[in-house]
């Protein structure tokens, strides 16, 4: 069974500082993909970053980076230089071999001015 | 712009009254997904289409059905909505061989 765990229901970060959002996963698939999405209060899901299970280097997209530790089954999102507009829900997700996506319970990030 | 469109954005229905939510896409993606997201919870996959092949999640209630008449459109039918079906319903699309899903803005369903 596939499972995504996000243990931080809420996080606070000071504007311009970096923050790490935790994500661990469980799967028996050899090949899988890990994603992070941002969901503002308006409700749309915004894709942030992707890491394939066979990718040796950590993914980066602008201020977002994914700290992928395969042996620990963790895929933490690092947001550098936080901005007020980063305040939102953040979901970690995994794509299985069968075209299915599984989401964690989310972390609500609040960026303080 | 190519996109995923969901109509309506807000839907109010009465307990037990059938309701249909629609999703359309201009991306020509062959995989389409329906998710249910209740307040402050993770999106939960209800079912997905891989081309014309329908894939139901084991725990999706029989009350939920779906139709995909062509590549561009996909519908979610709730035959007898209960109060517990009030949620945001998200549609997403993807091209097989690529990983990224593209989400629509969602339809927020209220059941009175």
């Amino acid at each position: 069974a596939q499972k995504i765990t996000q243990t931080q229901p809420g996080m606070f970060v000071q504007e311009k500082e970096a923050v790490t959002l935790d994500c661990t996963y469980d799967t028996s698939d050899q090949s899988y993909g890990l994603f992070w999405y941002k969901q503002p209060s308006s409700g749309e899901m915004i894709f942030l970053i992707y890491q394939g299970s066979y990718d040796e280097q950590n993914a980066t997209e602008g201020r977002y980076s994914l700290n992928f530790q395969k042996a620990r089954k963790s895929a933490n999102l690092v947001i550098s230089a936080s901005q007020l507009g980063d305040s939102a829900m953040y979901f970690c997700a995994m794509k299985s071999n069968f075209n299915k996506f599984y989401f964690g319970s989310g972390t609500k990030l609040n960026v303080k001015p | 712009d190519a996109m995923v469109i969901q109509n309506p954005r807000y839907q109010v229905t009465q307990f037990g009254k059938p309701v249909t939510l629609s999703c359309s896409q201009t991306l020509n993606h062959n995989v389409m997904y329906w998710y249910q997201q209740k307040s402050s919870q993770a999106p939960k996959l209800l079912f997905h289409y891989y081309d014309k092949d329908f894939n139901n999640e084991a725990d999706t209630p029989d009350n939920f059905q779906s139709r995909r008449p062509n590549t561009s459109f996909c519908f979610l039918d709730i035959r007898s909505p209960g109060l517990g079906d009030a949620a945001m319903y998200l549609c997403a699309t993807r091209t097989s061989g690529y990983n990224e899903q593209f989400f629509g803005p969602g339809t927020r369903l209220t059941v009175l």
Side-chain angles (χ1 to χ4, degrees), chain A residues 35 39 50 99-101 104, chain B residues 33 35 37 42 57 94 99:
Chain A
F35 302 78
Q39 189 177 42
Y50 165 78
N99 297 301
K100 299 181 181 182
F101 286 77
Chain B
Y33 299 86
Y35 293 90
Q37 187 180 23
E57 290 301 293
R94 187 177 69 87
N99 294 296

Side-chain angles (χ1 to χ4, degrees), chain A residues 42-53:
Chain A
S42 53
E44 74 270 29
M45 295 288 282
I46 301 168
F47 167 77
L48 296 178
I49 197 167
Y50 165 78
Q51 179 87 38
S53 57

Side-chain angles (χ1 to χ4, degrees), chain A:
Chain A
Q2 326 290 345
K3 187 176 181 181
I4 302 288
T5 302
Q6 294 180 253
T7 57
Q8 304 155 314
M11 290 278 286
F12 285 89
V13 64
Q14 200 70 38
E15 190 178 12
K16 300 180 185 178
E17 292 186 351
V19 63
T20 298
L21 306 184
D22 294 340
C23 173
T24 59
Y25 61 92
D26 192 17
T27 182
S28 56
D29 292 347
Q30 294 300 308
S31 176
Y32 50 89
L34 296 158
F35 302 78
W36 278 91
Y37 291 88
K38 173 183 178 181
Q39 189 177 42
S41 56
S42 53
E44 74 270 29
M45 295 288 282
I46 301 168
F47 167 77
L48 296 178
I49 197 167
Y50 165 78
Q51 179 87 38
S53 57
Y54 291 115
D55 295 340
E56 294 185 352
Q57 291 201 334
N58 287 341
T60 60
E61 290 284 349
R63 293 187 298 112
Y64 305 107
S65 61
L66 200 152
N67 184 1
F68 180 47
Q69 298 190 40
K70 192 171 183 177
R72 295 185 178 183
K73 294 190 173 181
S74 75
N76 297 339
L77 177 70
V78 180
I79 305 174
S80 62
S82 297
Q83 302 172 357
L84 296 178
D86 293 335
S87 294
M89 282 291 288
Y90 288 80
F91 289 98
C92 180
M94 179 172 65
K95 174 183 166 292
S96 75
N97 275 337
F98 300 98
N99 297 301
K100 299 181 181 182
F101 286 77
Y102 301 89
F103 285 77
S105 54
T107 295
K108 186 168 185 179
L109 179 66
N110 284 288
V111 180
K112 298 187 291 184

